[in-house]
Amino acid sequence: MTTKKEARARRAMLGAGGYHGTGILLAVFFLAPFAITILSSFRHGTEARLPPIPPWPTTGFSLDAYRNLDSFGAGVWQHTLNSAAVAVGTALLTVVVSLLAGYGFSRYRFVFKNALFVLIIATLMIPFQSILTPLFIILAKLGLNNSLIGLTLVYVTLQLPFSVFMMRNAFDAVPKEIEEAARIDGARDLGLLVRVLLPLVLPGIVTVAIFAFLNSWNEFLAALVLLSDNSKFTLPILISAVRAGRLGAIDWGAVQAGVTVMSVPCLFVFLLLQRYYMRGLMAGAVK
Amino acid sequence: MTLADTVSLPSSRPRPRRRPQRRSQWKGFLYIAPAMALVIVFFILPVLFTFWMSLHRWPLLGGTRFIGLGNYIRMASDSRFYAALGFTAYYTVIITIAIFALAFPLAMFVERQRRMVGVYRTAIFMPVVVGLASASLLWVWFANVDSGFLNPLLAWLGIVDLKTNFFASFDSAFFVICLMVVWKVAGFTMIILLTGLQAIPTELGEAARIDGANRWKRFIYVTLPLMRKTMALSLILSVTGSILAFDQFYIMTAGGPQNKMISVVYYIFNQSFVSFNLGYGAAMSLALLVILVLISIFQLWLLRVGEDRP
């Protein structure tokens, strides 16, 4: 009797051990590349050429890699600022535009309403990679080629199908009675939207903003095509130029520093707002 | 709406009940106008313009010339375009299989509610939130022969020689790229599959267990059929994403040994923005668009099939 119980307990423990052993191995596989890169980026310049074994700085903490990175393009601050401006601008503008559109689609009736909604969603079917060539020409015609504003507008457009869908759902979930009560209290139109409804759809706004921020911070191909001026480059374009090398030599330390600068904000935003991110992912998956 | 509004618009007095709706019509349009303007200028217009451009010889500088179907005729006999299509198809098949082979076990692993499962989920998901460009740069350093991490690691495990240059041959470079993409994307597919797994009522598995089905049989006859819709969705996302692959080939191998790693998007990029054959690039973009829309329609049909037989 006792032996049977013991055997079962041992098997359960082995099972738990196996489970957590596998879990830890998986976590290491998915996280180690980040950890190694971030630690390696703080090694001395002389160490940057060597394999990261051990990955942490052995001859003292140093910012050499970041200083080297700063010598590329217009300096790493400028390019981080470019990326941040585009990402924050995209997030803000996407929130405003999709908030208005979501409200309009949810609360008003007008001709072609459903057709227009489907039109916005249907742009998901068409990959933006296939319209880059004309986009390049159209932006040039508008005087927005090689400009961070033009790039931001393109990113906002790419975010719209998902964002308008999210915001319409968010408004659909708000009971009409709240609006009617606010109307009786004298709130109208934009005032009603901003003062009464905005707090109620805030989770949706956060989700929309996270996705807009991350996607535009990380985007590569459109930025590569639409920006031609060195000083306008966003971080991914700058770091890929660093990786391409100067005079046939590649400064891997600067690449590690660049990857760190690009990844850490994403990881940080995700860990901080994970709940909202996952909500967006589920909404997208269900759709 | 209010009395004051009615008075201010006397023209609508004969039919006062229709007025609020007309007004809200106009207002509704106003709310969606910014979104529509952006979609029209930066999406609908470019799509139509792609077609127009594809009928022209369109260099970056200098005049454009109407050449009818000239670009399409050129495309039909362009062996490099076919090579790009072939490579993209090869990559799509291999990477989709690889992602599913890892993501399915991962989803089953993180499905059970146990201690720490949230931590494992988050850890596996982390690479998803960084950019593909960041991941490519990270791994191209990782797999670099002189100062990378992969060589010492695999040499220590006795798998390869310390001085193996992964980017020298097609197969090993392709392997590194697939490793990077699987590392980056598996967490995403895992979460999508997880939503499908969690939607399966636990009673079904229990019932099958009582009927004597072992774990493998429960997976084949209960789990898989009920996962069909979710699998179709993640398949769509994986396939369309892979067909549009560009960043990893551009950053990691710059087209690869002997230009064997030029994907379709990469080839369009080269033609449009390196050789400045914008018209030809537009024609190929349209071909790519048609391919993807056909695949989307096929996959929507797959989804519908899933709905017919729940």
Side-chain angles (χ1 to χ4, degrees):
Chain A
M1 192 70 178
T2 32
T3 47
K4 230 179 196 173
K5 217 183 227 167
E6 268 171 13
R8 196 187 293 160
R10 199 188 312 145
R11 213 178 323 142
M13 227 168 69
L14 267 179
Y19 179 81
H20 290 294
T22 316
I24 288 165
L25 269 180
L26 285 170
V28 166
F29 172 69
F30 284 97
L31 292 182
F34 290 126
I36 294 171
T37 308
I38 294 170
L39 284 173
S40 300
S41 73
F42 293 113
R43 294 183 303 170
H44 262 296
T46 46
E47 282 181 288
R49 245 166 283 126
L50 303 170
I53 298 175
W56 50 85
T58 48
T59 53
F61 176 90
S62 143
L63 289 176
D64 284 355
Y66 293 86
R67 245 172 257 130
N68 290 342
L69 179 63
D70 202 32
S71 71
F72 284 87
V76 69
W77 280 116
Q78 177 65 47
H79 296 288
T80 308
L81 213 65
N82 290 349
S83 269
V86 168
V88 172
T90 304
L92 282 177
L93 206 57
T94 304
V95 164
V96 171
V97 171
S98 65
L99 185 76
L100 292 175
Y103 184 62
F105 278 122
S106 170
R107 285 299 192 263
Y108 288 90
R109 261 185 284 163
F110 45 87
V111 279
F112 302 129
K113 178 172 122 168
N114 286 327
L116 292 177
F117 185 69
V118 169
L119 183 74
I120 292 182
I121 303 299
T123 58
L124 271 181
M125 292 254 286
I126 295 171
F128 83 95
Q129 287 89 339
S130 69
I131 59 164
L132 264 180
T133 320
L135 216 45
F136 178 77
I137 307 250
I138 288 175
L139 283 172
K141 291 252 156 74
L142 293 172
L144 289 172
N145 56 328
N146 188 26
S147 105
L148 294 176
I149 295 173
L151 190 64
T152 304
L153 290 176
V154 170
Y155 286 163
V156 172
T157 311
L158 297 181
Q159 283 309 118
L160 280 183
F162 168 78
S163 308
V164 172
F165 178 82
M166 278 297 292
M167 290 318 298
R168 183 192 185 160
N169 281 355
F171 279 113
D172 280 348
V174 175
K176 285 223 166 73
E177 288 77 26
I178 293 178
E179 240 175 296
E180 273 150 26
R183 270 185 207 284
I184 290 166
D185 289 345
R188 284 281 169 281
D189 300 331
L190 278 179
L192 175 84
L193 181 58
V194 172
R195 263 181 251 126
V196 182
L197 296 177
L198 194 79
L200 296 171
V201 294
L202 199 61
I205 291 179
V206 176
T207 304
V208 163
I210 297 172
F211 275 84
F213 177 87
L214 288 177
N215 287 345
S216 51
W217 176 271
N218 288 328
E219 207 282 333
F220 181 70
L221 178 57
L224 181 71
V225 167
L226 300 176
L227 302 173
S228 50
D229 188 356
N230 231 323
S231 65
K232 298 253 173 69
F233 283 176
T234 53
L235 281 173
I237 314 301
L238 172 81
I239 316 297
S240 74
V242 173
R243 178 257 177 273
R246 267 198 299 218
L247 305 171
I250 301 168
D251 187 339
W252 290 112
V255 172
Q256 293 149 24
V259 170
T260 305
V261 173
M262 278 194 288
S263 323
V264 168
C266 299
L267 301 177
F268 193 71
V269 165
F270 170 68
L271 287 177
L272 209 66
L273 301 166
Q274 191 173 358
R275 201 156 50 91
Y276 298 98
Y277 186 98
M278 285 303 171
R279 257 176 43 117
L281 204 64
M282 299 301 170
V286 171
K287 175 189 59 176
Chain B
M1 302 176 184
T2 63
L3 192 66
D5 286 341
T6 320
V7 174
S8 67
L9 273 172
S11 63
S12 56
R13 210 176 273 162
R15 279 176 295 167
R17 295 184 72 191
R18 278 200 59 191
R19 195 194 47 78
Q21 209 206 338
R22 277 245 305 274
R23 242 195 84 178
S24 71
Q25 277 237 353
W26 170 80
K27 254 192 211 163
F29 269 124
L30 215 59
Y31 278 113
I32 66 159
M36 287 316 299
L38 281 171
V39 167
I40 288 169
V41 174
F42 294 112
F43 218 101
I44 313 284
L45 212 62
V47 171
L48 301 176
F49 201 38
T50 310
F51 179 67
W52 177 247
M53 283 178 79
S54 74
L55 302 176
H56 290 74
R57 191 185 169 81
W58 200 300
L60 186 64
L61 303 167
T64 60
R65 190 159 56 85
F66 185 81
I67 53 166
L69 296 176
N71 284 320
Y72 293 95
I73 292 163
R74 177 175 167 193
M75 187 165 75
S77 59
D78 185 349
S79 64
R80 282 185 299 168
F81 180 61
Y82 288 117
L85 278 178
F87 172 69
T88 308
Y90 174 72
Y91 168 75
T92 301
V93 170
I94 302 273
I95 200 69
T96 302
I97 293 171
I99 289 171
F100 269 79
L102 182 63
F104 221 115
L106 283 179
M108 299 187 72
F109 177 77
V110 298
E111 190 213 350
R112 283 176 292 172
Q113 282 303 333
R114 298 179 71 154
R115 269 175 55 194
M116 298 283 287
V117 72
V119 176
Y120 299 144
R121 265 185 218 169
T122 304
I124 295 169
F125 195 80
M126 290 291 262
V128 176
V129 300
V130 303
L132 193 56
S134 314
S136 301
L137 287 160
L138 194 162
W139 280 84
V140 78
W141 163 61
F142 237 51
N144 164 260
V145 62
D146 300 315
S147 58
F149 185 75
L150 214 53
N151 278 77
L153 179 73
L154 293 182
W156 179 69
L157 290 171
I159 297 172
V160 298
D161 188 71
L162 191 59
K163 286 291 153 208
T164 311
N165 183 355
F166 288 110
F167 294 109
S169 85
F170 177 87
D171 285 330
S172 56
F174 191 75
F175 172 78
V176 171
I177 288 181
C178 287
L179 185 64
M180 182 280 286
V181 174
V182 167
W183 171 82
K184 159 101 179 74
V185 178
F188 177 78
T189 310
M190 171 192 84
I191 292 291
I192 303 286
L193 292 175
L194 181 65
T195 60
L197 279 177
Q198 285 176 335
I200 299 175
T202 40
E203 299 88 56
L204 284 177
E206 296 291 322
R209 201 204 318 251
I210 290 163
D211 287 348
N214 62 26
R215 196 178 275 196
W216 177 245
K217 276 193 172 152
R218 287 203 302 272
F219 177 73
I220 295 286
Y221 294 110
V222 180
T223 310
L224 272 187
L226 290 171
M227 288 279 289
R228 195 182 351 209
K229 212 180 151 185
T230 323
M231 299 238 295
L233 173 76
S234 43
L235 200 66
I236 293 177
L237 295 174
S238 172
V239 167
T240 46
S242 310
I243 289 177
L244 298 169
F246 170 79
D247 303 12
Q248 58 269 50
F249 304 118
Y250 181 84
I251 293 174
M252 292 180 76
T253 61
Q258 295 101 46
N259 285 337
K260 279 189 198 153
M261 287 197 184
I262 305 277
S263 66
V264 175
V265 174
Y266 200 161
Y267 188 57
I268 295 174
F269 170 84
N270 274 345
Q271 284 295 328
S272 296
F273 303 109
V274 180
S275 311
F276 292 115
N277 296 318
L278 295 177
Y280 187 41
M284 287 190 294
S285 297
L286 218 59
L288 174 67
L289 199 153
V290 168
I291 292 172
L292 273 157
V293 167
L294 286 179
I295 287 174
S296 288
I297 289 170
F298 172 70
Q299 284 161 334
L300 284 176
W301 173 78
L302 261 183
L303 277 171
R304 194 185 51 75
V305 170
E307 263 166 25
D308 283 351
R309 281 176 279 168

